[in-house]
């Protein structure tokens, strides 16, 4: 029985030995044998891999940076407007406004100053903006202007020399602003419109209109005038002075007190309604007129 048990134990121990995994031992042996060569190989391989990794990162960085710069340059090129071919000062105005056959339309574009105008400009319409002041330099190089319209701005001040070089200017409209006084006006005006301002009589010099021998239409209604402006030219056809603070009229306001034969035959309309004056109390003031002024007579 002892021999049989020994045989059985031997048979049972054989499969247990075969089941032991040799792979782990082989892998350990592989790393331990030939240590000098294999470690050099592994270290060199690892260094090479790290070097390649660093190289790839640098290459990626060097590739990305030029792309970003080129993209930025492309953006800058796309944003930068092309340089104008002719008269660079004209381009901003004619892009913001409408320039057409000598006329410049800058209406409701929120400008706060007179923009640079093309030299050949004859008509400027700058209505309903935020312009506060007119200066001599605004029109210094634009001698061909014939009409200016600044209706509906915020103009408070006009330099006396603003219109001095505009020898061809015929129509000047400054309606609906904040003016307290009038500037020196160009000599060839046929129409002057400054209604709906804050102009008082002391803001109009005695000779402001005297030499304007072509002036036909004068609109000064809805201001703060206490009297009719002096020395109104003979050329006037229409005079609007309604809704001011005019309290008196003399025999020389429209006529000539010393000349009973004098007839002012060009005047077609004088409006004085809305003033604190009774026109019926001044009959001799209108004796030279073909038509009585519009206003209160009683």
């Amino acid at each position: 029985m002892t021999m049989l048990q020994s045989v059985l134990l031997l048979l049972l121990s054989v499969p247990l030995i075969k089941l032991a995994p040799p792979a782990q031992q082989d892998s350990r042996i592989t790393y331990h044998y030939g240590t000098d060569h294999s470690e050099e190989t592994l270290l060199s391989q690892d260094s090479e891999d790290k070097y390649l990794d660093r190289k790839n990162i640098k290459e990626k960085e060097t590739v990305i940076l030029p792309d970003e710069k080129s993209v930025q340059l492309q953006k800058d090129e796309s944003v930068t407007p092309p340089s104008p071919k002719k008269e660079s000062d004209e381009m901003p105005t004619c892009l913001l406004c409408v320039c057409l056959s000598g006329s410049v339309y800058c209406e409701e574009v929120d400008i706060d100053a007179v923009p640079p105008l093309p030299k050949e400009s004859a008509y400027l319409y700058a209505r309903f903006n935020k312009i506060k002041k007119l200066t001599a330099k605004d029109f210094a190089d634009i001698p061909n202007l014939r009409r200016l319209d600044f209706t509906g701005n915020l103009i408070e001040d006009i330099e006396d020399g603003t219109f001095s070089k505009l020898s061809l200017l015929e129509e000047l409209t400054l309606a609906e602003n904040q003016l307290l006084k009038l500037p020196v006006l160009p000599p060839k005006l046929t129409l002057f419109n400054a209604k709906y301002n804050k102009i008082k009589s002391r803001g109009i010099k005695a000779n402001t209109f005297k030499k304007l021998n072509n002036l036909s239409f004068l609109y000064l209604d809805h201001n703060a005038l206490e009297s009719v402006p002096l020395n109104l030219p003979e050329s006037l056809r229409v005079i609007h002075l309604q809704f001011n603070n005019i309290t008196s009229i003399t025999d020389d306001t429209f006529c000539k007190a010393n000349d009973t034969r004098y007839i002012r035959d060009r005047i077609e309309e004088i409006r004085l309604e809305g003033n604190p004056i009774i026109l019926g109390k001044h009959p001799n003031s209108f004796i030279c007129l073909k038509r009585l002024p519009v206003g209160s007579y009683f």
Side-chain angles (χ1 to χ4, degrees):
M1 291 296 290
T2 303
M3 288 295 293
L4 181 59
Q5 288 178 353
S6 300
V7 172
L8 289 173
L9 289 173
L10 182 61
L11 291 175
L12 290 172
S13 63
V14 171
L16 291 175
I17 294 172
K18 289 183 179 179
L19 291 175
Q24 188 174 357
Q25 295 177 357
D26 294 340
S27 60
R28 290 178 182 175
I29 293 170
T30 303
Y31 282 100
H32 286 291
Y33 287 113
T35 300
D36 295 338
H37 184 295
S38 61
E39 284 184 355
E40 285 180 8
T41 303
L42 289 171
L43 289 172
S44 61
Q45 184 64 36
D46 184 67
S47 300
E48 184 175 356
D49 291 341
K50 288 182 180 179
Y51 170 77
L52 290 174
D53 290 340
R54 287 196 300 270
K55 185 178 180 182
N56 290 335
I57 291 172
K58 289 182 179 180
E59 287 177 356
K60 287 180 181 179
E61 290 176 353
T62 54
V63 170
I64 289 172
L65 288 173
D67 288 343
E68 289 178 351
K69 289 181 181 179
S70 62
V71 169
Q72 185 64 36
L73 286 173
Q74 290 177 358
K75 288 182 179 178
D76 292 341
E77 291 175 358
S78 63
V79 171
T80 304
S83 57
K85 295 181 180 179
K86 295 181 180 180
E87 297 185 17
S88 60
D89 289 340
E90 297 178 17
M91 292 305 294
T93 301
C94 291
L95 288 174
L96 177 66
C97 309
V98 176
C99 301
L100 182 64
S101 300
S103 298
V104 181
Y105 299 88
C106 291
E107 299 177 314
E108 298 183 273
V109 291
D110 290 336
I111 53 176
D112 56 7
V114 178
L117 300 173
K119 291 184 178 180
E120 69 274 10
S121 298
Y123 307 96
L124 171 62
Y125 303 91
R127 294 178 286 205
F128 307 108
N129 287 290
K130 298 178 180 179
I131 300 171
K132 293 184 178 181
K133 185 176 181 178
L134 299 180
T135 65
K137 66 180 182 180
D138 290 335
F139 313 108
D141 299 321
I142 320 294
N144 297 321
L145 282 169
R146 295 178 180 273
R147 182 183 299 158
L148 292 173
D149 191 345
F150 291 100
T151 299
N153 279 274
L154 304 172
I155 300 172
E156 298 176 348
D157 184 35
I158 301 175
E159 292 181 2
D160 277 343
T162 297
F163 309 114
S164 60
K165 294 184 178 180
L166 303 182
S167 59
L168 301 179
L169 191 66
E170 297 176 350
E171 298 184 15
L172 176 58
T173 299
L174 300 167
E176 301 178 38
N177 281 281
Q178 306 293 324
L179 289 172
L180 297 174
K181 62 180 183 178
L182 295 183
V184 176
L185 300 175
K188 291 189 177 181
L189 278 185
T190 61
L191 180 150
F192 179 67
N193 186 348
K195 64 182 181 180
Y196 287 97
N197 277 276
K198 300 178 180 179
I199 303 168
K200 295 186 176 183
S201 293
R202 65 174 179 267
I204 302 178
K205 296 179 181 179
N207 296 326
T208 296
F209 300 107
K210 186 175 182 178
K211 296 182 179 180
L212 303 184
N213 296 322
N214 296 320
L215 188 64
S216 297
F217 303 92
L218 177 61
Y219 303 100
L220 289 171
D221 53 282
H222 295 87
N223 276 282
L225 300 176
E226 297 90 0
S227 60
V228 177
L230 301 174
N231 298 312
L232 295 177
E234 296 286 334
S235 57
L236 280 170
R237 294 168 54 193
V238 175
I239 305 173
H240 283 191
L241 297 169
Q242 68 270 29
F243 296 99
N244 279 278
N245 294 322
I246 297 173
T247 57
S248 65
I249 294 177
T250 69
D251 293 349
D252 290 317
T253 299
F254 299 109
C255 302
K256 294 180 180 180
N258 297 327
D259 188 356
T260 56
R261 295 184 178 182
Y262 173 73
I263 301 295
R264 197 159 192 166
D265 55 358
R266 293 187 182 180
I267 288 186
E268 301 171 1
E269 181 181 65
I270 298 176
R271 293 185 60 178
L272 287 166
E273 74 270 22
N275 285 282
I277 184 173
I278 304 300
L279 299 180
K281 295 182 178 181
H282 307 275
N284 294 331
S285 299
F286 316 117
I287 196 169
C288 66
L289 303 177
K290 291 184 175 181
R291 298 178 180 85
L292 290 175
V294 177
S296 176
Y297 285 83
F298 303 100

